[in-house]
Amino acid sequence: MAEKRKINFERVEMPKQVPFIRKRNFNEVALGYTSEDAIKEASRCLDCKKPFCVEGCPVEIDIPGLIRAIAAGDFALAIKTLKEKNCLPAVCGRVCPQEEQCESKCVLGKKGSPVAIGRLERFAADWEASKGSIQAPCIMKKTGKRVAVIGSGPAGVTVAGDLTLLGHDVTIYEALHKPGGVLTYGIPEFRLPAKVVSREIENLQKMGVKLVCNFVVGKTYPLQKILEEFDAVFVGTGAGLPWFMKIPGENLNGVYSANEYLTRVNLMRGFEYPRTYTPVIRHKRVAVVGGGNVAMDCARTALRLGAEKVAIVYRRSENELPAREEEYVNAVEEGVNFHFLTLPEKLFGNDEGWLNKIECARMKLGEPDASGRRRPIRIDNSEFIMKMDACIIAIGNSPNPIIPQTTPDLKVSKWGTIEVDEETLMTSVDRVWAGGDIVTGAATVILAMGAGRKAARSMHEYLSSQ
Amino acid sequence: MFKIVERSPLVPNLHLLVVEAPEVVESIQPGQFVIIHAGEGSERIPLSAADWDREKGTLSIVFMEVGTSTSKLAQMKAGDELNTVVGPLGIPIDTMKYGTVVCIGGCFGMGSIFPVVRALKESGNEIITMLEGRSENLLYWEDKLAVFSDKIIRLTRDGSCGYKGHIKKGTEILHEMNIKPDRVIANGCTTLSYLAVKEYEHYNVPVIVTLNTIMIDGTGMCGVCRCTVDGEMKFACVDGPSFDGRFVDWEELAARRKQYISEEAFLVHHSGCGGI
Ligand SMILES: Cc1cc2nc3c(=O)[nH]c(=O)nc-3n(C[C@H](O)[C@H](O)[C@H](O)COP(=O)(O)OP(=O)(O)OC[C@H]3O[C@@H](n4cnc5c(N)ncnc54)[C@H](O)[C@@H]3O)c2cc1C
Ligand SMILES: Cc1cc2nc3c(=O)[nH]c(=O)nc-3n(C[C@H](O)[C@H](O)[C@H](O)COP(=O)(O)OP(=O)(O)OC[C@H]3O[C@@H](n4cnc5c(N)ncnc54)[C@H](O)[C@@H]3O)c2cc1C
Ligand code: SF4
Ligand code: SF4
Ligand code: FES
């Protein structure tokens, strides 16, 4: 390690919109590094001989190479290095849980703050976009092999990108009218602007990926029919049916699944209503049930739609909160209330069927359960009432069932996830691979991309051997 | 993009839309629906298949002009293009041989019941088709339906043609003719479906209705289409949209259907189904 150099343990902060302004608009919260910021932050990197950071990245970006280029002010080289391994750098730089991935392994993290790898990645991607011209990577000789990718979320997009670079002819089928999966319909504008996602998808299209929207594989055509037309198929269909709590009153008006709430606002641009047609009700008092990124997104969206009071109701304590630290802090700064160790048990409505109050019970933490987290236990006679006119349920989804239901030989687990070979991501159906949330259950963008990379490698091996 | 081949008024407030969607009609079955999205800024709305031509690759839909998205659709014309026609979605209606089947269509349901009538007839059922409307000038497609029906009964509330009366009158006529249905299928607004269930319940046979819940994706992702059937939460877009109406929680359905009433520019001039 570079012993002689003075080590700087403090990272360069990234400017953000101030809370009292940003909580009422849908513009991006974090504003990104300037060139000076980026060079300064990049200069902290020790350029380790054995860079542990790389081990933390599921798509194995050459992180020291990227950072070296930024530190030297050669941003073109930086983006080139990045793109060798990541086809969605502007997305990952924004929403990757870096603190648990690459940055958690950075040696600087032992004594101070790790290098802000995600922010640097975002910087490089945004720098390229701001130049207006995006360099198309070079594509290998056409192989004549045809690949279908089902679902245009991060897993599908990665497979499409990787296989196109290797010379295969790729078509993506997407059920919705816009591509991007959760990146488009779920994660809100203020965290990941729609134009960032569409820019990355347009790049793929420029590389030659064909995109067919409004096509539900399993409904429009069965998977078997797709298989007749293509040499190999990747299934990356992500999450499906939202879970509800199975408590009384969940079908009252004013009760939403997180997916409905976010889809109305993001995919259907409800936040621009009435300029757009999909209506969004601007509730005044909103409870959000759950503690993950999805719950934070719903709560912060409700604030931006004008809610006076937004409360996150989570049955465990602050320590178990699964959301990214950064998003939790943002939510607190914006004035979201947190009710920890609280479990909603009944929803009540008025005569017209609209939610007006929620009965909750208090919880305490018991012994750790199978997941290693301490199990919440209900405290008897602790019920209390919250007056709320909306309740958004953000406790997760089961995997998308359409393809398993319509593909007789496709093996699924008892949770409905598609079963695959761990090494190759091959499913039980010949020539069909799968990855992302449909295999793992709800996970992260970068894990879905990592799966896409792994599947693409195995698919390429198969296609080359044919 | 999906090209509109025809968009013409059928009767006041109801329109016929024929659109090119070759992949959608390839495997479409009676009782299935599509989601249409006219373009950026529009809602995604569910509409039932009323007919199709696999050779030409066209899909016919009958829609009622009720709110923002349907009036936008009503302003479009042949040659225009729709952003999205996705499907076929939902589970097809069973059209096996049951014996005598009463098929009831009201407002847009006179159109969407057509493929059901045709398939049931092809399975060898005796079909009694009832058309329900406020007045004679609101009935349509009688000639099309007649081809596959053993009997057509017209019900108008003002008595301008056929029998004077509503759903209940239909059961009285059946009684007079000494006909006992083995199955009842009703298509139309929520009120019509609900009344069909109430009036036909005493026959103790399934009364299959199509639930007009609010929808967004139509693939089981958002949960807005949820309803309670036989005490269980169902998602109309993937578990339905057709259910045995005898087990549907109608009060909840009606309340959920009205969720956005105050948000919508409510341009309705009701065509008389009184409906939600
Ligand atoms: C609100 C929210 C916030 C999140 N925040 C973060 C975050 O900050 N950081 C992070 O790393 N992760 C986050 N995640 C998780 C992350 O978005 C997912 O893990 C990731 O998107 C999964 O990618 P995927 O490609 O497997 O599937 P998805 O992104 O779910 O995409 C699947 C796509 O397939 C399409 N599809 C489904 N069925 C069919 C079919 N039959 N035919 C054709 N198309 C079909 C769907 O319409 C969809 O577009 C968040 C998730 C949500 C919901
Ligand atoms: C599976 C399924 C199949 C359907 N098939 C058809 C079809 O074949 N033809 C068709 O016309 N409609 C059909 N519908 C209903 C159709 O989706 C709605 O009429 C449409 O979404 C209304 O959109 P809008 O934006 O024009 O009205 P909105 O602006 O959303 O609604 C305006 C108001 O009108 C009321 N309204 C909505 N629908 C009706 C109605 N049918 N009658 C009276 N009032 C209503 C609502 O309560 C709403 O508040 C179907 C619905 C489902 C779920
Ligand atoms: S893709 Fe994610 S995990 Fe990999 S280096 Fe970038 S921020 Fe880190
Ligand atoms: S980012 Fe951290 S671990 Fe990686 S090379 Fe730089 S200092 Fe080393
Ligand atoms: S319409 Fe979204 S789940 Fe049914």
Side-chain angles (χ1 to χ4, degrees):
Chain A
M1 226 176 277
E3 233 74 48
K4 278 166 269 166
R5 204 158 94 200
K6 188 168 178 295
I7 299 176
N8 180 355
F9 286 113
E10 296 256 333
R11 61 164 60 177
V12 179
E13 280 313 315
M14 178 159 56
K16 288 199 272 188
Q17 278 196 69
V18 291
F20 81 94
I21 292 181
R22 72 178 192 236
K23 73 185 217 189
R24 293 292 186 233
N25 70 51
F26 275 88
N27 301 336
E28 203 171 1
V29 166
L31 302 171
Y33 277 160
T34 59
S35 308
E36 295 84 70
D37 289 342
I39 293 173
K40 192 167 163 215
E41 178 63 19
S43 310
R44 296 205 303 128
C45 171
L46 306 178
D47 201 358
C48 308
K49 277 213 188 59
K50 196 165 181 295
F52 291 108
C53 51
V54 178
E55 285 170 25
C57 174
V59 295
E60 298 155 19
I61 291 175
D62 173 11
I63 298 170
L66 160 77
I67 299 181
R68 218 181 298 127
I70 294 180
D74 187 350
F75 305 144
L77 177 64
I79 187 71
K80 186 165 166 281
T81 310
L82 197 47
K83 282 207 181 152
E84 275 163 15
K85 291 291 170 71
N86 188 334
C87 59
L88 301 173
V91 172
C92 290
R94 286 174 167 83
V95 303
C96 235
Q98 295 106 11
E99 63 282 0
E100 291 168 23
Q101 304 277 334
C102 50
E103 293 177 12
S104 75
K105 301 275 164 75
C106 171
V107 290
L108 284 184
K110 292 202 184 113
K111 292 224 178 106
S113 30
V115 177
I117 302 168
R119 293 173 183 178
L120 291 173
E121 207 171 302
R122 167 179 170 167
F123 167 78
D126 289 358
W127 173 83
E128 185 185 38
S130 71
K131 272 193 332 156
S133 69
I134 286 180
Q135 175 116 39
C138 46
I139 294 169
M140 310 242 293
K141 204 168 101 257
K142 288 269 174 223
T143 62
K145 295 280 193 270
R146 303 191 65 216
V147 177
V149 168
I150 305 169
S152 61
V157 161
T158 305
V159 172
D162 283 11
L163 291 181
T164 303
L165 288 179
L166 291 165
H168 305 295
D169 186 5
V170 181
T171 305
I172 303 184
Y173 290 98
E174 167 56 48
L176 295 172
H177 60 275
K178 269 195 226 157
V182 171
L183 306 180
T184 297
Y185 75 72
I187 303 180
E189 186 74 15
F190 55 85
R191 263 207 313 132
L192 180 61
K195 67 167 193 301
V196 171
V197 181
S198 53
R199 197 166 69 209
E200 308 250 29
I201 305 248
E202 278 159 23
N203 289 343
L204 274 184
Q205 286 175 290
K206 280 188 202 139
M207 279 162 55
V209 173
K210 287 189 227 40
L211 174 67
V212 181
C213 287
N214 304 308
F215 197 108
V216 187
V217 176
K219 289 284 181 187
T220 312
Y221 283 179
L223 184 63
Q224 285 92 336
K225 185 157 172 176
I226 303 280
L227 270 171
E228 286 165 19
E229 290 174 29
F230 290 90
D231 298 297
V233 175
F234 175 80
V235 179
T237 48
L241 311 177
W243 285 329
F244 287 88
M245 293 179 288
K246 299 206 157 88
I247 62 174
E250 276 185 300
N251 289 358
L252 285 165
N253 291 347
V255 183
Y256 306 83
S257 76
N259 276 0
E260 180 194 345
Y261 196 71
L262 294 172
T263 301
R264 273 184 187 281
V265 177
N266 299 324
L267 178 73
M268 303 311 294
R269 314 294 292 171
F271 65 92
E272 291 167 344
Y273 180 83
R275 274 203 291 132
T276 54
Y277 290 103
T278 297
V280 177
I281 302 172
R282 294 175 184 261
H283 295 285
K284 289 290 165 228
R285 302 169 66 87
V286 181
V288 179
V289 184
N293 287 326
V294 184
M296 303 302 138
D297 284 347
C298 292
R300 297 172 68 201
T301 297
L303 271 181
R304 283 160 173 77
L305 289 172
E308 282 154 14
K309 185 173 180 228
V310 177
I312 287 206
V313 181
Y314 180 54
R315 64 189 179 134
R316 302 184 206 235
S317 77
E318 186 178 358
N319 295 330
E320 285 80 15
L321 207 63
R324 288 186 62 193
E325 170 82 17
E326 185 184 330
E327 301 309 331
Y328 172 47
V329 170
N330 281 334
V332 171
E333 282 178 2
E334 289 167 15
V336 173
N337 292 309
F338 284 80
H339 295 260
F340 292 111
L341 293 167
T342 306
L343 182 72
E345 294 192 321
K346 275 188 202 134
L347 309 178
F348 296 95
N350 65 15
D351 292 343
E352 268 103 54
W354 285 91
L355 177 79
N356 58 11
K357 58 187 184 205
I358 303 178
E359 185 181 301
C360 300
R362 304 240 186 251
M363 313 291 281
K364 61 181 182 209
L365 290 179
E367 295 300 306
D369 64 11
S371 71
R373 292 183 303 178
R374 292 177 63 192
R375 202 162 53 85
I377 300 170
R378 185 179 191 280
I379 303 174
D380 285 339
N381 303 319
S382 65
E383 301 83 1
F384 67 101
I385 296 280
M386 286 187 196
K387 282 212 152 80
M388 291 288 170
D389 54 15
C391 179
I392 303 166
I393 301 173
I395 58 172
N397 290 75
S398 52
N400 197 304
I402 294 181
I403 289 191
Q405 272 167 7
T406 52
T407 313
D409 304 323
L410 189 65
K411 268 211 199 112
V412 292
S413 72
K414 63 173 189 252
W415 301 279
T417 50
I418 297 180
E419 289 193 351
V420 294
D421 178 281
E422 261 181 50
E423 287 311 308
T424 60
L425 300 191
M426 243 190 268
T427 68
S428 58
V429 177
D430 195 30
R431 295 188 288 127
V432 177
W433 284 255
D437 282 7
I438 190 68
V439 167
T440 54
T444 61
V445 173
I446 195 63
L447 286 173
M449 292 182 68
R453 161 103 353 115
K454 215 169 174 185
R457 205 172 283 155
S458 159
M459 292 169 85
H460 177 61
E461 239 166 64
Y462 164 81
L463 292 167
S464 317
S465 71
Q466 288 304 294
Chain B
M1 288 304 226
F2 301 82
K3 199 162 125 208
I4 296 178
V5 181
E6 186 184 348
R7 205 277 311 139
S8 52
L10 268 179
V11 295
N13 233 14
L14 283 169
H15 301 258
L16 173 68
L17 175 75
V18 185
V19 60
E20 273 174 14
E23 285 150 344
V24 174
V25 295
E26 230 172 88
S27 64
I28 199 163
Q29 297 297 320
Q32 289 192 297
F33 67 95
V34 293
I35 289 210
I36 287 194
H37 182 228
E40 196 64 31
S42 264
E43 278 176 277
R44 293 167 60 98
I45 57 168
L47 296 168
S48 308
D51 200 0
W52 50 82
D53 184 327
R54 293 209 168 104
E55 259 156 45
K56 291 196 188 128
T58 56
L59 173 71
S60 303
I61 282 163
V62 176
F63 71 93
M64 179 157 66
E65 210 177 325
V66 284
T68 32
S69 299
T70 45
S71 27
K72 200 166 170 193
L73 216 51
Q75 284 155 21
M76 300 184 84
K77 45 188 193 312
D80 290 350
E81 288 186 332
L82 295 167
N83 209 26
T84 296
V85 176
V86 61
L89 302 171
I91 296 172
I93 289 188
D94 284 331
T95 50
M96 292 174 281
K97 179 158 184 185
Y98 301 102
T100 304
V101 184
V102 172
C103 297
I104 307 169
C107 54
F108 69 81
M110 273 174 254
S112 61
I113 199 97
F114 172 72
V116 183
V117 167
R118 179 172 56 192
L120 282 165
K121 187 70 214 164
E122 280 162 4
S123 309
N125 291 286
E126 160 129 4
I127 310 285
I128 300 176
T129 300
M130 301 217 188
L131 302 181
E132 193 280 328
R134 193 182 53 200
S135 192
E136 181 175 17
N137 71 333
L138 295 171
L139 305 187
Y140 60 94
W141 278 19
E142 184 178 334
D143 46 342
K144 260 179 95 118
L145 287 158
V147 177
F148 301 98
S149 306
D150 294 276
K151 217 180 250 65
I152 293 240
I153 295 173
R154 293 177 292 175
L155 299 165
T156 50
R157 251 164 291 161
D158 63 2
S160 50
C161 79
Y163 296 88
K164 184 170 169 23
H166 202 215
I167 302 294
K168 187 173 163 71
K169 182 69 187 168
T171 60
E172 292 165 11
I173 299 164
L174 289 184
H175 186 74
E176 277 163 28
M177 293 178 170
N178 214 357
I179 295 173
K180 274 191 70 188
D182 297 299
R183 201 173 184 85
V184 179
I185 300 176
N187 265 211
C189 66
T190 306
T191 310
L192 176 126
S193 304
Y194 170 72
L195 287 176
V197 171
K198 259 189 61 174
E199 299 300 343
Y200 283 83
E201 221 165 21
H202 66 275
Y203 288 108
N204 278 325
V205 297
V207 183
I208 307 297
V209 295
T210 298
L211 300 187
N212 301 350
T213 59
I214 296 174
M215 291 189 179
I216 301 178
D217 58 307
T219 63
M221 177 271 280
C222 77
V224 66
C225 62
R226 64 194 190 275
C227 49
T228 304
V229 182
D230 216 0
E232 266 184 58
M233 186 188 285
K234 296 282 183 197
F235 287 7
C237 69
V238 285
D239 300 324
S242 301
F243 296 96
D244 188 339
R246 296 175 299 168
F247 307 111
V248 168
D249 182 337
W250 290 96
E251 208 175 305
E252 176 188 283
L253 182 81
R256 287 188 63 74
R257 194 75 192 81
K258 286 190 236 173
Q259 274 181 85
Y260 291 94
I261 251 181
S262 56
E263 264 63 28
E264 298 278 7
F266 195 67
L267 322 160
V268 186
H269 22 106
H270 281 285
S271 52
C273 62
I276 32 170

